[in-house]
Amino acid sequence: MVQSSTKKSTIDRTIVHHVSTTAFALADALAPRLAAAWAYRLWFELPPPARTGTTDPDGIVELLGSPFEATLRGRVVRGWTYGEGPVVYLVHGWSGHAEQLRPLVRHLLAHGLKVVAFDGLSHGRSDAGVHGSGSSDAVELGRSLDAVAARFGPARAVVAHSMGALSALLALRDGWLATERLILIAPVEGVPDFLARFRARLRFGPRTERLLIARAEQRTGYPVADLDVARLGEQLESRPELLVIHDLGDRETPHEPSARLVAGWPGAELYSTVGLGHRRILADAAVGGTVARFAARLPVEPLLHAGDVPPPMPRFEPRQSSVA
């Protein structure tokens, strides 16, 4: 269930900016093919990158990094490596970029790990994807990750944020990527969930939906129903050890599906936070330390248990004076 909020998600903000729901309802009723083409463009259109406050203001981490390039179907995926040791891949989310995950780098380096971060096609400093610079999808991001993994090899851990979780699981199931451990931060539930929210927001009917799904599946080569994080996880030949980190108040991707994912993944752990939201969670020092400890095969302690709410503050009782 999508949490209600006075603030719209990135998905809703993008749609509201471009679409009159009245005009779309008219197109849906009279010209479903036109409505489906309109919805298709909105679905895959990249909004401007969000300002997250997760950058490295001193540029220290960037100075330590070495740039690299990987090729995907004649297009260049650009990224950076840091340190030496077992490889950890960092995967950004929808309309994101590698810089958003840079606060995690110092924690991982402190544990003797090699960090590989990149911008997916049509994101950050990488080339435009197949459908142009303003358009992308989870499959293309997964293929970008796979191209990077083909260069640097199997991973100790993959750390993926938001939609990057879906892309990472696609690369694990269908690509060259292999990892011992998987860390998902504020993961999306999957495309079926997004489609349900998209349909509710634009209020289109079954004819438009069928046409939209057909176009989306032709684009990605995957059935929409298959692009689900929990379902992909179940289909892995060998499941990596899983840690999911999610804020209880995340307005972009609800916490509840993450709790269900962990409950259905043997041995998985859930680290829940309060008050960090969907993007600031990437810059939190406790989160960074937890990511690094898990990637380094060290135990982590969950801040809260799955589904719990923060406990009430203890009541302060003043000490009674012993003086008569």
Side-chain angles (χ1 to χ4, degrees), residues 22 40 51 64 89 123 219 251 255 312 318:
T22 301
Y40 171 88
R51 297 184 64 181
L64 295 173
Y89 294 109
H123 292 78
R219 171 183 174 130
R251 293 189 176 101
H255 179 275

Side-chain angles (χ1 to χ4, degrees), residues 8 23 55 93 122 140 156 167 172 186 192 222 237 266 313:
K8 299 293 185 182
T55 58
S122 291
E140 184 168 71
R156 164 69 65 79
S167 302
L172 285 169
Y222 284 88
E237 290 185 8
M313 292 290 289

Side-chain angles (χ1 to χ4, degrees), residues 94-117:
W94 177 249
S95 190
H97 45 81
E99 189 176 354
Q100 292 173 321
L101 288 86
R102 195 171 283 165
L104 301 174
V105 173
R106 63 183 179 89
H107 298 282
L108 293 162
L109 292 180
H111 285 276
L113 298 165
K114 177 176 182 174
V115 181
V116 179

Side-chain angles (χ1 to χ4, degrees), residues 112-294:
L113 298 165
K114 177 176 182 174
V115 181
V116 179
F118 69 97
D119 294 331
L121 290 182
S122 291
H123 292 78
R125 300 176 189 178
S126 291
D127 285 358
V130 175
H131 300 277
S133 60
S135 182
S136 190
D137 53 71
V139 174
E140 184 168 71
L141 179 57
R143 288 175 178 150
S144 299
L145 168 60
D146 208 44
V148 173
R151 172 167 178 174
F152 292 100
R156 164 69 65 79
V158 174
V159 184
H161 176 239
S162 193
M163 191 190 75
L166 179 61
S167 302
L169 282 160
L170 279 169
L172 285 169
R173 192 191 71 171
D174 297 343
W176 291 102
L177 180 65
T179 188
E180 176 188 317
R181 296 189 163 214
L182 179 62
I183 303 164
L184 306 181
I185 304 177
V188 297
E189 186 173 1
V191 174
D193 168 70
F194 171 78
L195 177 60
R197 288 191 281 160
F198 195 59
R199 182 177 60 236
R201 182 61 193 164
L202 290 181
R203 302 175 186 175
F204 51 77
R207 293 183 302 171
T208 295
E209 181 177 14
R210 285 194 298 271
L211 291 166
L212 171 59
I213 289 174
R215 292 192 64 166
E217 293 180 345
Q218 182 179 22
R219 171 183 174 130
T220 66
Y222 284 88
V224 163
D226 285 356
L227 299 178
D228 177 83
V229 166
R231 184 169 183 174
L232 287 169
E234 292 170 356
Q235 295 171 352
L236 296 179
E237 290 185 8
S238 177
R239 286 188 178 188
E241 295 186 48
L242 175 67
L243 171 66
V244 179
I245 302 175
H246 211 135
D247 193 81
L248 287 166
D250 192 326
R251 293 189 176 101
E252 301 273 343
T253 59
H255 179 275
E256 183 183 354
S258 285
R260 292 198 303 268
L261 174 65
V262 168
W265 191 299
E269 299 181 67
L270 177 64
Y271 186 98
S272 300
T273 65
V274 179
L276 295 177
H278 188 68
R279 292 183 177 81
R280 286 187 297 113
I281 196 170
L282 295 171
D284 184 76
V287 169
T290 298
V291 167
R293 286 182 63 83
F294 189 78

